Amino acid sequence: MGDGDVENGHVENSAPGHRTEAVAALAEAIRNIGRQGETVAAGQHDAPVRKAVAGDAGEGAARGTGGDRGGSASVPASGAGAEVGAAAAAGVGMGSEAGAGVEPGPVTDRQRADALRAAAEVLSAGGAPSALAAAAVAEFGEGAAEALRADPWAVLALPGVRPEHADGFARGLLGPAAGPGDRRRAQALVPWLLEQAVLRGHSAVEIGEVVTGLEKLGLPDAAAALQEVVVDGRVMAFQDELPGSHHTTSDEDEPPTRTLLALERLALAEESLADGLVRIMSTFVPAEDKPLTEDEPETVSENTDADADEGPAVIEADAPSSADGPTADSDAPVEDSDAAQPQDVRTPSPRAVGPSAWESAATAASTSSATALIRAVAADPLVLHTGGEAARAEPAALLHAAHGLGLRVWAATWTDQGRDSLVALLPAAGSTDDSAGASPDDSGIAAAAHVVTLADLLSGTAGPGRAEDGSLALDVLIVLDAPLLDVELAATLLEALADGTRLVLSGDPGQLWSAGPGRFFADLLAAKACPAVASRTPDFGPIGELVSGIGIGELQSVEAPEKEVVIVTAKDGAEAVHRAIQLLTDSIPRALGIPVEQVVLLTPGHGGSAGTRALNAAAKARLNPGPGRFGGFDPGDRVAYSPVPGITHPARVVDGDASGLHLELSDGTRLTVTPAQAAKLRHGWALTVHQAVGRRWPGVVAVLPDDAAAGLTRQWVYTAFGRAERHLSVVHAAGQALPQAVAERPAQPRTTRLRAILAEQTGEA
């Protein structure tokens, strides 16, 4: 594809003072557009219209608020949620017609072949790779060729295409008419810049940053481009208070604000998410103690205790009394056919359990942290729970207690490994633990059957099934690994919950945020809109001590008598690769008895001197050399299978044939990935830390190359080191960048709106 530069347009008022004034004027102009849109929308809808600018897209504010959901979410899932949204799946390949409300007819093989051929011809005519034809048809539908001819810069919507590529493609089709100020170019660049921000985790971007980005791309009139995309609804604009601003309630003192731009789908997802959270909190009606009747289950305790006190906004549990040590792929087979059927479908109305029964379950819990969590859930419909790996025992205790109270309670984890580890924390079958009033026969095994992955829960592969109104048929939902939910998946989850459902979001706030946009869990913690129970259960051992120190910004040496933590220095990336492979293949298996299959290499990125590509190439040459006869893979290769962004399944190549690659996943299940899917596989001896979230390994080798030092953060180091169960080796070539990152760079910043929306809806500053 052509990649020649487009002539830079002249940008006036480049002096800092003039530029600031120009951006402020542009923000005011966009707000004026929004006021006009609000006036129109206010006449069409009874509901109040937010300070959102979307031209005629104001009607998009009619998002799901917990009323009639008709069995589908109002916000289509993407990223990890793409596997669980039937509506999203139905929209694939419909292009711009997907939102038109017209049901497209079936596309025959011949029609698709014709569309692919026509798209390939147009792409080739403009100097672009014809291999993009399939992506073009998926994006624009059968009319992809016509769409690209009419608007060559629309090619920016295809994977891997950058502005310089699109400019070259446009010149190939339009010739000298393809100027830098072309209206079509402007309309394509703004969404592209916002999509790039989404890849960095932002759900919104400040208007000044977008203007700067457009100027760098040589757009002559950035202001006009922004106003046009806002008017046509492709981008929405919002005026939010600056984070952390404090102001009085006087009308004369206007709080400082900023103007944010967001893609429509993310703007509506964040609004829908906030609506869902407020709905869960506002529709909850706490039960009262009443005498036990014949119609109520015997597991509900008699009401002899006083009412439980309401929990504070932030609850910190006492020190423990003792030492406690989405997404499944559609191609994956189901191990147990019974598990795939909806279970426990009962009345959709949440069941009532009085405070006395809850208090009995809380006081019977084995730790004070578990007691605090159970009490908080008894009093409030939305509860946050924070803690490290050992603290996962507390959601397990809650699951056990709520199940013993006769409630329809389910727990959802990010990965199958997380599911299995949570089940292991529940009382074993036949246990005599009666802390929740359950009989010895069912105290453990029955509750264990109510633990699923989040992807399986939302897709219906496992879980309670759906009620008649489309909501999940449950009373209490406990979501572990909650920081990994992006705003779109979180919105889908909230839309699936019935009014009055109790929701518990549990996770480690020190770990990396979601692969998709937003910082759902962190924003909810910062908003202080609901009680938060902070676990006091520490992660024990040298690794736990090291990780806990990192979490508070301190990188300190720890005593490791059994070589639980080892630091290996390297002068550069090449030596780091050599040391890491030596640890993986020899030192750790020989000295500690941890098999190679249970050791993983973790590194900041795929590229660079010691990224996953370099590490995996070296590991394959040492452990499983071969010609790569199946698309670059050989039987025995470790691979990372990612059906969607944010979800990674460790697997091993069993064999391959014309149908694709046959894989065995880490849980023993087998699946076949098509040749097209196999092309997206990566070798899996080495992973990025984002690929490793939600999982742990007996042995971890964290590789810190010198060329990745600038990107290190406390959050990354905390997550990487915390993936180790028994042993952690750190191959350190980053010099002082490591302690500096831990002490000074908590996380890569993300711009989001959830906290501001919640403050507006709940009336809090």
Side-chain angles (χ1 to χ4, degrees):
M1 182 179 291
D3 56 0
D5 294 333
V6 174
E7 290 184 36
N8 290 330
H10 180 63
V11 180
E12 298 180 355
N13 295 332
S14 58
H18 290 161
R19 188 182 183 285
T20 300
E21 294 174 1
V23 172
L26 172 60
E28 179 61 27
I30 288 180
R31 286 196 291 271
N32 288 334
I33 297 172
R35 295 186 187 106
Q36 296 171 8
E38 288 172 6
T39 301
V40 174
Q44 296 174 341
H45 303 284
D46 295 330
V49 179
R50 301 193 180 284
K51 292 181 277 187
V53 182
D56 294 337
E59 60 193 288
R63 55 202 173 275
T65 56
D68 296 334
R69 45 180 61 82
S72 63
S74 62
V75 180
S78 70
E83 293 184 326
V84 300
V92 174
M94 291 164 60
S96 60
E97 296 176 358
V102 178
E103 187 70 23
V107 178
T108 66
D109 291 342
R110 180 172 181 176
Q111 288 174 317
R112 176 172 173 77
D114 290 342
L116 288 170
R117 181 168 54 255
E121 290 175 356
V122 174
L123 289 165
S124 297
S130 59
L132 289 173
V137 172
E139 178 71 22
F140 305 114
E142 294 178 67
E146 292 78 6
L148 290 173
R149 285 194 184 278
D151 181 3
W153 283 280
V155 76
L156 263 180
L158 305 185
V161 179
R162 297 186 55 80
E164 59 268 25
H165 303 147
D167 290 334
F169 177 66
R171 282 196 301 274
L173 292 182
L174 303 178
D182 192 292
R183 174 177 172 272
R184 294 165 294 183
R185 181 174 187 262
Q187 288 189 316
L189 286 177
V190 177
W192 183 84
L193 283 172
L194 294 180
E195 290 286 3
Q196 297 308 298
V198 169
L199 297 178
R200 299 191 298 273
H202 302 284
S203 62
V205 183
E206 291 198 39
I207 190 171
E209 296 179 22
V210 180
V211 170
T212 299
L214 293 173
E215 291 171 348
K216 289 180 178 179
L217 292 171
L219 194 67
D221 194 345
L226 286 175
Q227 293 184 61
E228 188 166 358
V229 295
V230 167
V231 168
D232 70 18
R234 299 177 68 183
V235 170
M236 300 180 74
F238 302 88
Q239 184 181 6
D240 285 351
E241 292 184 19
L242 285 172
S245 62
H246 300 283
H247 62 280
T248 65
T249 57
S250 171
D251 293 337
E252 299 179 358
D253 298 328
E254 289 291 333
T257 61
R258 59 179 179 175
T259 299
L260 299 177
L261 302 178
L263 295 168
E264 183 185 33
R265 74 174 195 277
L266 294 182
L268 296 182
E270 223 154 9
E271 294 269 353
S272 177
L273 175 54
D275 287 345
L277 292 167
V278 172
R279 174 177 60 83
I280 289 294
M281 292 185 285
S282 62
T283 58
F284 175 72
V285 179
E288 298 180 356
D289 285 335
K290 59 182 180 179
L292 188 67
T293 66
E294 294 181 358
D295 294 334
E296 292 174 319
E298 295 181 0
T299 52
V300 179
S301 304
E302 291 189 15
N303 306 306
T304 56
D305 298 332
D307 290 350
D309 294 334
E310 292 186 3
V314 177
I315 305 169
E316 188 168 301
D318 296 331
S321 57
S322 61
D324 299 325
T327 301
D329 180 72
S330 59
D331 292 335
V334 179
E335 291 183 273
D336 184 351
S337 59
D338 292 336
Q341 302 302 319
Q343 304 173 37
D344 200 22
V345 180
R346 294 181 249 170
T347 172
S349 300
R351 299 192 60 188
V353 174
S356 295
W358 277 108
E359 181 61 20
S360 296
T363 55
S366 58
T367 68
S368 58
S369 292
T371 295
L373 178 60
I374 295 172
R375 283 176 174 159
V377 175
D380 291 275
L382 179 63
V383 174
L384 306 182
H385 171 257
T386 63
E389 190 66 26
R392 294 171 77 94
E394 293 145 28
L398 171 62
L399 172 65
H400 180 224
H403 187 270
L405 292 172
L407 293 170
R408 302 171 301 168
V409 57
W410 287 80
T413 63
W414 192 250
T415 64
D416 56 324
Q417 188 192 71
R419 176 197 63 206
D420 295 343
S421 66
L422 184 64
V423 168
L425 294 171
L426 293 167
S431 167
T432 57
D433 183 357
D434 62 351
S435 61
S439 66
D441 292 335
D442 68 1
S443 64
I445 192 170
H450 285 226
V451 182
V452 297
T453 66
L454 182 61
D456 287 347
L457 175 72
L458 293 177
S459 66
T461 303
R466 299 271 179 164
E468 291 183 359
D469 66 348
S471 64
L472 291 168
L474 46 73
D475 304 316
V476 182
L477 177 61
I478 307 166
V479 179
L480 286 86
D481 311 306
L484 301 180
L485 275 68
D486 62 37
V487 294
E488 292 177 289
L489 182 57
T492 299
L493 173 66
L494 266 294
E495 184 67 21
L497 299 182
D499 294 353
T501 303
R502 284 180 166 94
L503 174 62
V504 181
L505 298 167
S506 176
D508 189 338
Q511 291 191 11
L512 286 171
W513 295 323
S514 59
R519 27 171 281 165
F520 164 55
F521 192 69
D523 279 344
L524 198 49
L525 278 171
K528 298 181 180 180
C530 63
V533 178
S535 173
R536 294 292 297 274
T537 305
D539 290 328
F540 294 96
I543 297 175
E545 182 182 350
L546 174 65
V547 172
S548 296
I550 292 170
I552 59 174
E554 298 177 1
L555 185 64
Q556 51 194 351
S557 59
V558 296
E559 295 293 330
E562 302 298 326
K563 297 184 178 179
E564 294 91 343
V565 179
V566 173
I567 309 297
V568 179
T569 59
K571 63 181 180 180
D572 55 26
E575 185 177 354
V577 171
H578 173 75
R579 298 293 186 193
I581 299 303
Q582 188 177 44
L583 288 163
L584 170 70
T585 61
D586 179 58
S587 302
I588 294 176
R590 175 172 47 80
L592 302 175
I594 303 176
V596 174
E597 296 75 21
Q598 297 180 13
V599 181
V600 69
L601 308 177
L602 298 180
T603 189
H606 294 298
S609 60
T612 61
R613 296 189 187 97
L615 288 167
N616 278 319
K620 177 170 173 56
R622 183 75 174 271
L623 293 171
N624 197 41
R629 55 198 179 100
F630 300 114
F633 300 96
D634 294 295
D637 281 357
R638 277 169 64 172
V639 295
Y641 170 56
S642 298
V644 293
I647 299 292
T648 300
H649 299 291
R652 180 180 64 87
V653 176
V654 177
D655 204 348
D657 52 34
S659 64
L661 270 182
H662 307 300
L663 306 180
E664 181 179 41
L665 302 183
S666 58
D667 63 359
T669 60
R670 294 196 176 193
L671 63 89
T672 298
V673 296
T674 65
Q677 292 172 320
K680 300 178 182 179
L681 286 178
R682 294 180 183 270
H683 281 102
W685 289 284
L687 304 173
T688 67
V689 177
H690 278 94
Q691 290 178 307
V693 292
R695 296 184 182 276
R696 302 183 80 209
W697 286 261
V700 168
V701 179
V703 183
L704 308 177
D706 53 341
D707 53 7
L712 293 178
T713 64
R714 179 191 309 162
Q715 197 181 56
W716 187 95
V717 178
Y718 181 95
T719 307
F721 290 9
R723 298 309 89 208
E725 294 177 334
R726 292 173 49 194
H727 173 78
L728 169 68
S729 282
V730 180
V731 180
H732 182 21
Q736 289 301 307
L738 175 60
Q740 288 174 0
V742 171
E744 303 171 8
R745 293 195 295 274
Q748 296 289 356
R750 292 188 175 188
T751 303
T752 65
R753 296 194 58 248
L754 179 60
R755 185 178 176 183
I757 300 171
L758 285 172
E760 180 184 343
Q761 292 201 9
T762 59
E764 299 176 0

